[in-house]
Amino acid sequence: MTVRNLARVTVVANMVVVVIGLVVLALLPSASRPEARVRVKPAGALPGARLPPPVSATAESARKAQANEVGLIPVIMYHRLLPKRIASIDRTPAQVRSELERLAKDNYVPVTAAEFVSGNFNIPAGTHPVVLTFDDGNRSHFAVDGSGMPKNDTAVGLIYEVAARHPNFRPVATFWINRNPFGLKDPAQQAQAVKWLLGHGFEVANHTSSHPDLHRLTTKQVKEQIVRQERLLKKLGVPASTTFALPYGSRPKKLTAAHDGKWDGTAYHFDGVFLAGAEPSVSPYAKSFSRYAIPRIQSNGKHGECRRWCTTYWLDWLDKHPQERYTSDGDPTHVSVPKRLEGKIASSKAKEIIAY
């Protein structure tokens, strides 16, 4: 498969995700379980999320790193983590741990969705960015134990577990949440949870208030869903969201309503809108980057619909086609590529190119 053919599966894949997602929504567990009190733990007790100091790239250093900063970047989509999967898009903690271990061993470095969209990320030369995204704010994504540390086998706990074994595996991710984030009903506990995540370098952003299929709503209803969640996020201490994930990957009839709009006196704007499948994204430095229709890859094996759409397939594919993958030059002020790819760089980066 060539890069030019990647987009052909996106529409079909998103339709599959919509159908699966509607089934999963009906299966979500009750949020009536007892809620754990969230206590903020000092950041020094866990691996840090700071980016490494920048370097000054040259043509020689870019060649040595085999830098390709217009290459493909996996944006991985996770939903619930369950000891025993119920729906096909669920993952077990063991499956997520194994996938994160693979990413770390393959020299992937996590960045948030906001960092990715802005192009403002710096990872070591020779490494590859990956965006870990978790939809719906499920209780399995984040919870703390009695000492205020992330619980084992939650998404955050697993990320820190792998980061502790692999120092270059930066412990960050993006959580796109709805109302009642992380299964918490109490506003004070919600705010404490969000404060903990933001304080440790994670991104918390908008996934609508009640997770509807936006294509079925009027434009006014779409804007209401987004604004209500933006207002909740503000109450919880989140700065204005810069990214937005479409529930089920379903786009509203008026496409621009997914990234710009106003309802009841409150306006919103997103720098990036994310779909629900089914291929890696091009680099934000590439001419072909479409910031309001950014594809993601469902975390899953290679069975059924996932034969060509999910993480196992795509991570294998990128391993077999390393020339197609984004590889960093370690220098955030330049975009480094082989000479044959220079024409793929967006004109806004034209004065910052290192072509070797």
Side-chain angles (χ1 to χ4, degrees), residues 75 111-121 131-133 170 172-176 201-205 240-244 271-272 274 284 289 291 294:
V75 181
V111 300
T112 67
E115 290 169 336
F116 165 71
V117 168
S118 71
N120 185 25
F121 58 87
V131 188
L132 308 175
T133 69
R170 184 169 170 250
V172 299
T174 294
F175 293 94
W176 281 306
F202 294 89
E203 177 186 6
V204 180
S241 301
T242 59
T243 65
F244 175 63
D271 295 330
F274 290 75
F289 180 62
R291 66 175 56 251
I294 301 170

Side-chain angles (χ1 to χ4, degrees), residues 4-120:
R4 289 190 298 270
N5 290 329
L6 296 182
R8 295 179 181 176
V9 298
T10 303
V11 173
V12 177
N14 273 313
M15 291 175 64
V16 171
V17 173
V18 169
V19 174
I20 294 172
L22 288 168
V23 174
V24 172
L25 192 62
L27 296 172
L28 286 174
S30 170
S32 60
R33 301 174 188 172
E35 299 172 356
R37 175 66 60 180
V38 177
R39 290 187 287 175
V40 178
K41 189 76 174 177
L46 294 165
R50 289 184 180 180
L51 289 163
V55 301
S56 296
T58 64
E60 181 179 353
S61 69
R63 184 181 296 107
K64 183 177 180 180
Q66 299 183 343
N68 173 14
E69 296 190 319
V70 292
L72 297 172
I73 298 174
V75 181
I76 301 179
M77 177 181 66
Y78 298 93
H79 287 85
R80 296 182 302 184
L81 280 61
L82 299 176
K84 185 175 181 180
R85 298 167 66 193
I86 298 173
S88 63
I89 59 174
D90 296 332
R91 303 297 278 162
T92 68
Q95 289 171 329
V96 174
R97 180 184 292 108
S98 176
E99 185 161 87
L100 297 179
E101 284 280 355
R102 175 181 182 170
L103 292 167
K105 291 175 181 177
D106 288 347
N107 291 319
Y108 284 95
V109 179
V111 300
T112 67
E115 290 169 336
F116 165 71
V117 168
S118 71
N120 185 25

Side-chain angles (χ1 to χ4, degrees), residues 65 140 154 166 192 200 213 236 257 282 324 339 352:
S140 63
T154 61
H166 302 275
Q192 287 176 321
H200 288 76
D213 179 349
L236 298 180
V282 300
E324 303 287 358
K339 283 186 181 294
E352 307 164 12

Side-chain angles (χ1 to χ4, degrees), residues 7-8 18 74 187 193 198 200 214-215 229 234 285 296 330:
R8 295 179 181 176
V18 169
L198 296 178
H200 288 76
L214 297 184
H215 193 72
Q229 190 63 12
K234 184 177 181 180
Y285 309 136
R296 293 190 286 166

